[in-house]
Amino acid sequence: MTSLKEKLYDKIQEHRPRIQRLNKEFGDVVVDNVTISHILGGMRGLKSLVTDISYLDPNEGIRFRGYKLTDVFAKLPKPKGADMPYVEGLFYLLLTGDIPTQKEVNEVVDEFAQRRILPKYLYELIDAFPSCSHPMTIFSTAILSMHRESFFAKKYIAGIRKADYWDPMYEDSLNLLAKLPEIASYTYAKLYRDGNRIQSNPNLDLGGNFASMMGKDKPYDDVSRMHFILHSDHESGNVSAHAGHLVASSLSDIYLSISAMVNGLAGPLHGLASQSVLKWLHDLMGKMGGAIPTEAEIKQYVWETLKSGQVVPGFGHAVLRKTDPRYALQREFSKKHLKDDPLFKYIDLLYKVTPPILREQGKAKNPWPNVDAQSGVIQWHYGLKEYDFYTVLFGIGRAIGISANIIWDRALGYPLERPKSLTTDMLEEIAGIKPKADSAK
Ligand code: HAX
């Protein structure tokens, strides 16, 4: 066993009695009340999931294993000469709750590097897609196709003790996570670079190697590390996390689960928003003939969007009630590296004018920008102009957090998810607006 796996095993052993005790002795304690609004409103805010990997405070934003994002970036080891930490170090932190030493990170970097090579059929599969395919469709299908590689699926059929489920899940997760940058960069090469693939460099860490395979110079390696770390986890209730967790709860392996996670991320109210932001900004830029809009002009554009019944992409959040710290961190990066970029100027103006407009409109509970308002602008600046691809980048990052969650789901023996449904008649009875007998019809 590597030291990461050994440490994880020890942490699992320590944690199991806590869950068993809660379940056995305190199973009837009430945590939250389910209202009709919860049922009809997408279960918004209903306290009904558990994860120790991250926690999202509505005002403070995300913490990974108790660490604020600024601490995560400050404390995790960095490659020599880099400003951003190793993505592999984040995986170590998410899995164990401990900040790894340089030596511990190096071991994980080596592990990932050894597991990168893609089977030949994946290249053939990606090549077989029509070139008009959305990269998220390719990404999801490529992940799904690797189901045949799953150790967990094989061990399950052969017979494995429930207490050991986490072990092949861990092996599958590392195998998959190491391959995602390769799948993504080959998908990019196939769709946008006539199939010209840049070989993987075994001496580089995940972020550095991804930049290299994308054909990008520094500081794109740091951009990649920052992007993957920022997007890795956001509690369990968001669509991608919940989709991954739900599918894994039927003991589907990591390939089936992460493919489902990617499909959830591909929706415009979730990960696709980073692509929508760029399209929306470019539509405005087109109208402006490239000039920087005045505050009045940009206000008018936001109002036109709202009045046409659309959402302002990159603003609002289901949980957050303040500016997303993932937005704030990317903004700091942009102020340093992109300050003269016209798109950054647009986004900066939007940061000023949009929240008061959303407040005035009075619908959005959170008028502040989210992670997606800023991430595409950075990618565009570094020459990644095919914005259909942005959600794939989000997917690489998000898979890291979801895999850590799913390994722990298996370690703690979380059961099949199966909430109960009611009919509208039943809800009307509960509300007292329909006599009970009617529901029998
Ligand atoms: N522009 C216009 N209207 C908005 C809005 C926005 N940015 N954000 C919320 N609203 C509207 C909602 O559409 C909703 O209107 P209806 O009552 O007519 O349905 C109303 O305000 C209340 O919504 P809410 O409770 O504040 O927000 P939700 O929890 O329902 O939805 C969303 C959260 C993120 C989906 C929403 O804010 C949104 O659509 N934002 C724009 C798209 C976006 O940026 N998505 C990415 C979010 C971050 C993320 O998950 N990234 O992956």
Side-chain angles (χ1 to χ4, degrees):
M1 276 209 262
T2 64
S3 63
L4 170 59
K5 200 168 168 186
E6 275 164 6
K7 183 172 255 190
L8 177 61
Y9 177 72
D10 292 343
K11 299 266 175 185
I12 290 169
Q13 294 296 91
E14 275 169 33
H15 204 104
R16 277 180 174 154
R18 294 173 63 196
I19 296 299
Q20 282 157 1
R21 179 161 187 235
L22 281 170
N23 228 341
K24 260 198 191 137
E25 294 177 35
F26 304 97
D28 292 334
V29 173
V30 174
V31 177
D32 210 343
N33 294 310
V34 181
T35 63
I36 289 181
S37 299
H38 282 131
I39 295 175
L40 297 182
M43 293 182 277
R44 209 63 98 258
L46 183 69
K47 296 185 185 82
S48 54
L49 293 166
V50 57
T51 175
D52 297 291
I53 309 288
S54 66
Y55 180 75
L56 179 59
D57 179 88
N59 294 311
E60 186 193 70
I62 194 72
R63 277 183 186 241
F64 294 155
R65 288 287 188 176
Y67 291 98
K68 280 186 190 172
L69 281 182
T70 42
D71 288 338
V72 168
F73 280 91
K75 287 178 193 287
L76 284 177
K78 301 180 176 71
K80 214 170 175 191
D83 286 336
M84 299 292 164
Y86 286 103
V87 177
E88 293 90 335
L90 173 87
F91 183 61
Y92 190 108
L93 169 66
L94 296 184
L95 265 188
T96 65
D98 294 344
I99 300 280
T101 62
Q102 182 69 50
K103 182 172 170 287
E104 286 167 333
V105 173
N106 289 347
E107 283 175 12
V108 185
V109 170
D110 285 350
E111 277 248 4
F112 270 67
Q114 284 164 25
R115 296 174 190 241
R116 273 180 197 163
I117 309 297
L118 297 187
K120 185 163 167 275
Y121 67 82
L122 266 185
Y123 293 107
E124 291 166 356
L125 176 81
I126 295 171
D127 284 344
F129 271 89
S131 54
C132 58
S133 307
H134 194 284
M136 282 297 268
T137 312
I138 303 180
F139 194 53
S140 170
T141 314
I143 294 168
L144 189 60
S145 75
M146 283 195 292
H147 165 65
R148 63 189 291 285
E149 314 284 338
S150 171
F151 283 124
F152 177 81
K154 289 187 188 91
K155 293 254 182 189
Y156 188 81
I157 289 170
I160 178 174
R161 285 182 334 131
K162 194 172 177 188
D164 297 333
Y165 284 172
W166 69 274
D167 184 320
M169 225 50 195
Y170 170 93
E171 296 297 335
D172 280 350
S173 295
L174 259 71
N175 284 338
L176 173 63
L177 293 175
K179 290 179 178 62
L180 292 182
E182 315 274 326
I183 295 173
S185 59
Y186 186 66
T187 301
Y188 184 85
K190 143 87 185 167
L191 290 180
Y192 311 119
R193 230 173 26 215
D194 297 327
N196 287 321
R197 168 181 163 225
I198 301 171
Q199 292 282 349
S200 188
N201 180 343
N203 300 316
L204 294 174
D205 65 297
L206 187 147
N209 187 44
F210 181 69
S212 158
M213 291 187 296
M214 293 296 287
K216 306 263 173 233
D217 297 328
K218 282 181 182 301
Y220 194 76
D221 54 343
D222 270 335
V223 168
S224 303
R225 293 183 192 104
M226 175 175 74
H227 191 95
F228 298 150
I229 291 174
L230 281 180
H231 289 81
S232 62
D233 210 40
H234 223 223
E235 279 191 355
S236 292
N238 65 78
V239 170
S240 54
H242 196 197
H245 166 80
L246 172 67
V247 171
S249 84
S250 72
L251 297 188
S252 291
D253 61 60
I254 202 76
Y255 301 99
L256 299 168
S257 308
I258 296 295
S259 175
M261 172 222 105
V262 167
N263 297 341
L265 192 64
L269 295 186
H270 195 13
L272 204 80
S274 66
Q275 151 177 352
S276 313
V277 169
L278 260 275
K279 180 176 181 317
W280 185 70
L281 287 178
H282 276 106
D283 286 350
L284 173 59
M285 222 173 196
K287 282 188 183 180
M288 298 299 306
I292 306 295
T294 61
E295 253 184 67
E297 284 165 333
I298 209 153
K299 275 182 186 167
Q300 190 189 339
Y301 188 60
V302 174
W303 274 118
E304 276 170 15
T305 303
L306 291 174
K307 283 179 182 156
S308 68
Q310 298 169 68
V311 294
V312 179
F315 284 78
H317 200 272
V319 178
L320 280 165
R321 294 296 173 257
K322 285 272 164 67
T323 295
D324 189 337
R326 301 171 300 173
Y327 171 89
L329 258 147
Q330 294 183 99
R331 185 164 189 267
E332 283 313 302
F333 179 92
S334 303
K335 274 161 70 182
K336 191 167 160 200
H337 296 278
L338 276 64
K339 63 178 185 308
D340 296 324
D341 188 306
L343 272 181
F344 178 58
K345 291 186 176 159
Y346 273 56
I347 271 294
D348 223 27
L349 267 169
L350 278 166
Y351 187 31
K352 200 167 165 195
V353 308
T354 308
I357 293 178
L358 286 175
R359 273 215 191 94
E360 190 181 329
Q361 193 212 23
K363 278 171 72 175
K365 293 188 191 69
N366 174 36
W368 300 103
N370 61 56
V371 65
D372 296 311
Q374 184 69 70
S375 51
V377 174
I378 299 177
Q379 295 298 330
W380 183 273
H381 179 82
Y382 289 105
L384 211 114
K385 303 202 166 175
E386 299 82 5
Y387 39 72
D388 277 7
F389 194 71
Y390 294 171
T391 319
V392 174
L393 302 175
F394 195 152
I396 298 174
R398 183 51 55 94
I400 295 165
I402 309 307
S403 300
N405 272 284
I406 292 175
I407 294 167
W408 272 97
D409 287 351
R410 290 289 73 83
L412 299 176
Y414 288 139
L416 181 77
E417 239 185 50
R418 206 328 184 169
K420 179 80 187 83
S421 306
L422 299 175
T423 64
T424 307
D425 281 341
M426 290 170 184
L427 285 185
E428 286 169 342
E429 282 170 17
I430 292 168
I433 53 175
K434 189 170 191 141
K436 209 163 183 113
D438 284 6
S439 69
K441 282 181 201 157

